Amino acid sequence: WTSWWFYWGNLKHCDSYGFEIDMRLLIDGDACPQKEQIYEISQKYQIQMIVFLDYAHVSNLMKCEVRYCEIGKDSVDLMIINEVKDGDIVITQDYGLASLVIVKGAKVLHTSGKFIHGGNIDELLMSRYVGYKERSRNKHVKGPKKRTYNDNLYFLSQLEKLLENES
């Protein structure tokens, strides 16, 4: 079992042995919008935020910790998988990555604001597979619509909701 408790303003997570584990926000930074706003929320809740990027997406503008990896397919995902711990929150739009970090005990928030968990990951992976098969047959599959201001607000409100529920 695991438990959450509030300690001197920081969210703490206890493992099954009762040892404290700091909850962290791990960001799949290649395609995650609103990193600055996420950082402000992480500061509000005093949670460490780590953004994972490959060298093609170097940014000196972020105030949080940034970890870089080689440019390559899934290189950022592999780095996150190796880093994630039980109790972390991962922000990503990659369902494959989400499925792997859920197994390790992480909570996952999609960049749309949707919570990804064991109860919906199979359906999401199947929709990804169907889209892949359609594209491989040269069928045009509509991509996601452009993000709106309301989409951004919803995502940030869902992140706040998740953090409030964990405290």
Side-chain angles (χ1 to χ4, degrees):
W1 62 266
T2 58
S3 65
W4 293 93
W5 53 290
F6 208 67
Y7 179 74
W8 291 345
N10 292 332
L11 283 173
K12 298 287 184 176
H13 179 84
C14 292
D15 65 12
S16 59
Y17 300 105
F19 294 108
E20 292 177 23
I21 305 168
D22 287 333
M23 181 173 64
R24 304 170 302 166
L25 279 174
L26 306 181
I27 313 296
D28 184 354
D30 291 344
C32 181
Q34 302 178 280
K35 291 180 209 60
E36 290 296 322
Q37 293 89 345
I38 296 169
Y39 176 75
E40 291 171 13
I41 293 171
S42 75
Q43 293 304 290
K44 175 181 173 182
Y45 290 91
Q46 299 179 349
I47 298 171
Q48 179 185 12
M49 176 177 156
I50 306 170
V51 176
F52 295 83
L53 296 168
D54 64 27
Y55 288 113
H57 296 93
V58 173
S59 173
N60 295 326
L61 301 175
M62 287 185 264
K63 303 171 193 167
C64 64
E65 181 178 346
V66 179
R67 298 199 187 160
Y68 292 102
C69 63
E70 295 299 320
I71 298 170
K73 184 174 175 9
D74 299 327
S75 60
V76 169
D77 297 348
L78 293 172
M79 196 173 196
I80 292 172
I81 291 165
N82 288 329
E83 178 68 28
V84 72
K85 294 178 176 53
D86 182 29
D88 287 339
I89 296 173
V90 176
I91 298 175
T92 186
Q93 54 184 315
D94 183 324
Y95 297 143
L97 172 61
S99 68
L100 295 170
V101 299
I102 287 170
V103 171
K104 293 182 90 173
K107 304 244 190 275
V108 180
L109 182 63
H110 189 277
T111 56
S112 68
K114 179 189 320 183
F115 296 108
I116 302 174
H117 49 78
N120 66 2
I121 190 64
D122 288 339
E123 180 181 335
L124 295 170
L125 288 169
M126 180 56 84
S127 70
R128 182 180 81 160
Y129 174 74
V130 169
Y132 166 76
K133 291 304 254 181
E134 292 293 316
R135 286 187 302 278
S136 69
R137 286 190 264 152
N138 292 326
K139 289 198 174 188
H140 178 69
V141 179
K142 289 174 77 174
K145 62 183 180 185
K146 185 176 178 178
R147 271 183 93 79
T148 66
Y149 177 74
N150 287 336
D151 293 336
N152 292 336
L153 287 180
Y154 180 72
F155 166 72
L156 294 173
S157 71
Q158 291 295 89
L159 177 58
E160 289 252 12
K161 180 179 175 181
L162 177 59
L163 294 174
E164 286 172 8
N165 288 340
E166 298 300 323
S167 63

